[in-house]
Amino acid sequence: MFKALADPTRRFLLDLLFRRDGRTLTELESELEMTRFGVAKHLKVLEDAELVVTRRSGREKLHFLNPVPIRLIHDRWIDKYTERQVTALVDLKNALEEDQ
C-alpha cells in the first residue's frame, strides 16, 4: 500500500475518487495529462493495494475509493502515537477558555 501511495499521480487519482466516487477510466483520464494506458496502470496498482475497488455497470467499469486500508494504517500507526498530544491540546484549550 505504501508503494501505491508514494506516487503523486496515484494520490491525485484517490483525491478525484474522494471528491466523486464511481468514475470511469475515461473520466479519470480526462483529469490527467497522461495516456489512457498510463492511467490504467496506475489504477491497477491502486486496485492491487485494495485502495480502489471496481464494479461493472453495463459496459463501463466504475472505480470507487476504498478508504478502509488507509484507516487501518491510521489507527495502527498514527492514532496511538498522537492520542496523548491531542488530549493535552484539548485540555489546554479548555483551561485557557475557562480563564477567560
Side-chain angles (χ1 to χ4, degrees), residues 33-83:
E33 293 184 19
M34 184 180 288
T35 65
R36 181 177 184 85
F37 181 72
V39 174
K41 283 178 70 174
H42 282 294
L43 287 170
K44 176 68 173 135
V45 172
L46 292 170
E47 285 180 58
D48 290 345
E50 299 180 357
L51 293 168
V52 169
V53 293
T54 60
R55 187 183 77 219
R56 289 254 177 222
S57 177
R59 296 178 62 182
E60 295 181 323
K61 183 178 180 183
L62 303 176
H63 298 83
F64 296 88
L65 175 66
N66 179 17
V68 174
I70 295 172
R71 181 56 193 245
L72 291 174
I73 287 201
H74 175 270
D75 292 349
R76 171 68 172 97
W77 293 105
I78 298 170
D79 198 38
K80 75 178 181 181
Y81 294 110
T82 60
E83 182 63 33

